[in-house]
Amino acid sequence: MAMHSRITVTPSSGNVFADLGFAEPGEELAKAQLASLIGQVIKKRRLTQAAAAALMGVDQPKVSALLNDELPTSRASA
């Protein structure tokens, strides 16, 4: 006989960064959305990270960080 536990679910505000208490949730959401769109363009154009970096005027490690969701974020509020 399986036991069922109750799980409390809190509805999202629509911005995960606000839900997690980030200091600038609107800015964080905009950065995440922009990074996603850039990643989609890189994939659609079949660019290597080095080629994308050259087009954007940044170095390849920055493109790698962008594509791997390693963007700097504002600290969560207390």
Side-chain angles (χ1 to χ4, degrees), residues 1-6:
M1 188 164 160
M3 295 186 68
H4 296 280
S5 61
R6 296 205 180 266

Side-chain angles (χ1 to χ4, degrees), residues 6-74:
R6 296 205 180 266
I7 298 173
T8 302
V9 177
T10 303
S12 171
S13 69
N15 182 337
V16 67
F17 299 102
D19 296 341
L20 294 173
F22 278 75
E24 299 289 339
E27 180 179 318
E28 298 302 332
L29 181 59
K31 285 193 296 187
Q33 291 171 331
L34 181 57
S36 177
L37 289 172
I38 291 170
Q40 290 173 24
V41 170
I42 290 170
K43 184 176 181 178
K44 182 177 180 179
R45 294 179 68 179
R46 297 182 181 178
L47 297 171
T48 64
Q49 289 183 7
L55 285 171
M56 292 189 283
V58 298
D59 57 12
Q60 179 275 328
K62 285 192 173 107
V63 175
S64 177
L66 177 88
L67 297 176
N68 290 303
D69 300 321
E70 297 171 7
L71 300 172
T73 60
S74 60

